[in-house]
Amino acid sequence: MEPHYLNIQNLKVTIFQAYLFWENIEKNLQNIGLRLSGGVREKTDLIVLPEMFNTGFTMKSEELAEEMDGKTMQWIKKTAASYDCVVTGSLMIKEDGKYYNRMVWVRPDGEYQYYDKHHLFGLGDEDKHFSPGKEPVIVELKGWKIRLAICYDLRFPVWLRNKNAAYDILLLVASWPDKRSSHWRTLIHARAIENQSYVIGVNRVGHDGNQIYHSGHSMCIDPLGNTVYYKPEDEDLYTFSINYTELEKIRRQFPFLKDSDDFEIN
């Protein structure tokens, strides 16, 4: 019998390193829709948008957060159906009187899963406006197991540790400022190497309403630390493919994960 991984297909991923219009949901959805319609020229499995892609990284949760049946979720469902692929990114969600920075994972049939950001960015007062998520989330696409994460989570390797090879891709959406872009680049490479997984990080570009500049540096890094995709500075819509057989080959040749420490997060 063939090993199961030989039957898992390559995954086509489309990332949109977007310029975001500050606190303007309508304009962001319109701009992203136009860019996708003009730029997605081949069948893709997954479209990834940045953190708080419909508003920018603002703390106006009471004014701008939506419910799960709101305008942005309806737009995501329509987009996923239109391109017959999964669409993911984060947005502000109001639920049961609380606010979350929620990364949604929406399938073409409208079904979805989500991850609420666990590590809230205290330096930007995110912890004063949002409630933290409690649980890690792994989703599946074409046999690939994908761990969802948001921006500041990247700094916490224990939270993202790939215990027992539970995931194949660490997928991170972000609004990471240029002045700490060296941290972003270094940590993404580290997470890929230490977890023997692909890491895909999708950031935004441009100044936000607080005049904080974001320089992108969206990337895909393979389990050996090699660059599959990398783009600084400019808005970019790009599709690339990653190979599951290559991932399994690396893990067989360098079986480091089996020697990792056993622990639980309380």
Side-chain angles (χ1 to χ4, degrees):
M1 180 180 291
E2 287 186 339
H4 81 285
Y5 59 83
L6 294 178
N7 299 317
I8 296 179
Q9 299 175 332
N10 288 359
L11 195 69
K12 276 194 173 182
V13 181
T14 299
I15 71 97
F16 185 25
Q17 177 170 280
Y19 175 85
L20 301 180
F21 297 92
W22 188 244
E23 299 176 354
N24 192 328
I25 294 172
E26 198 68 49
K27 200 167 185 179
N28 282 311
L29 298 185
Q30 182 181 47
N31 178 57
I32 294 168
L34 286 171
R35 287 299 310 274
L36 292 178
S37 66
V40 180
R41 305 182 187 281
E42 57 185 302
K43 179 68 175 72
T44 189
D45 300 307
L46 174 63
I47 294 173
V48 189
L49 306 174
E51 179 182 22
M52 291 194 187
F53 68 87
N54 63 338
T55 58
F57 188 68
T58 173
M59 296 299 99
K60 290 187 179 177
S61 53
E62 293 186 13
E63 296 175 37
L64 294 170
E66 301 179 17
E67 297 186 352
M68 287 299 283
D69 59 355
K71 177 193 301 183
T72 301
M73 278 296 290
Q74 295 303 321
W75 178 90
I76 298 172
K77 289 179 179 181
K78 183 178 178 181
T79 302
S82 177
Y83 292 95
D84 189 30
C85 71
V86 171
V87 177
T88 189
S90 96
L91 67 157
M92 291 184 282
I93 291 292
K94 180 181 180 180
E95 190 172 80
D96 298 327
K98 295 182 178 180
Y99 299 94
Y100 299 94
N101 184 347
R102 179 168 291 178
M103 184 175 179
V104 295
W105 176 268
V106 182
R107 301 183 183 87
D109 62 2
E111 294 296 310
Y112 62 83
Q113 292 169 265
Y114 62 82
Y115 162 70
D116 291 330
K117 188 176 184 180
H118 180 65
H119 293 95
L120 301 177
F121 186 52
L123 192 61
D125 288 338
E126 188 179 18
D127 56 330
K128 293 181 173 65
H129 297 272
F130 295 89
S131 296
K134 303 296 185 185
E135 300 295 332
V137 175
I138 295 175
V139 296
E140 189 168 324
L141 181 60
K142 293 178 68 174
W144 293 75
K145 292 181 170 56
I146 303 169
R147 173 73 183 267
L148 304 183
I150 304 175
C151 203
Y152 195 42
D153 286 329
L154 180 62
R155 289 188 178 274
F156 302 93
V158 174
W159 176 248
L160 299 177
R161 187 62 173 154
N162 194 8
K163 290 187 64 181
N164 303 315
Y167 64 80
D168 309 307
I169 302 169
L170 173 60
L171 180 59
L172 189 84
V173 299
S175 186
W176 197 285
D178 173 68
K179 57 188 174 183
R180 291 186 293 278
S181 65
S182 63
H183 300 190
W184 164 263
R185 297 192 301 273
T186 301
L187 293 171
I188 285 180
H189 279 82
R191 296 297 89 86
I193 294 166
E194 72 194 9
N195 291 305
Q196 292 195 299
S197 73
Y198 288 95
V199 177
I200 300 171
V202 179
N203 196 20
R204 62 158 295 176
V205 292
H207 288 89
D208 67 16
N210 297 316
Q211 291 308 302
I212 295 172
Y213 179 62
H214 303 79
S215 53
H217 299 278
S218 295
M219 67 184 84
C220 175
I221 304 300
D222 78 8
L224 291 176
N226 300 314
T227 302
V228 177
Y229 163 80
Y230 174 65
K231 182 68 174 180
E233 300 299 338
D234 301 317
E235 190 172 70
D236 194 39
L237 181 68
Y238 189 78
T239 299
F240 56 85
S241 183
I242 54 177
N243 184 281
Y244 196 91
T245 304
E246 185 64 23
L247 170 68
E248 286 291 326
K249 179 182 175 183
I250 291 168
R251 287 177 174 175
R252 287 197 312 276
Q253 287 180 334
F254 307 104
F256 302 141
L257 286 177
K258 74 177 182 65
D259 298 323
S260 61
D261 301 299
D262 190 25
F263 62 89
E264 297 292 335
I265 298 177
N266 295 321

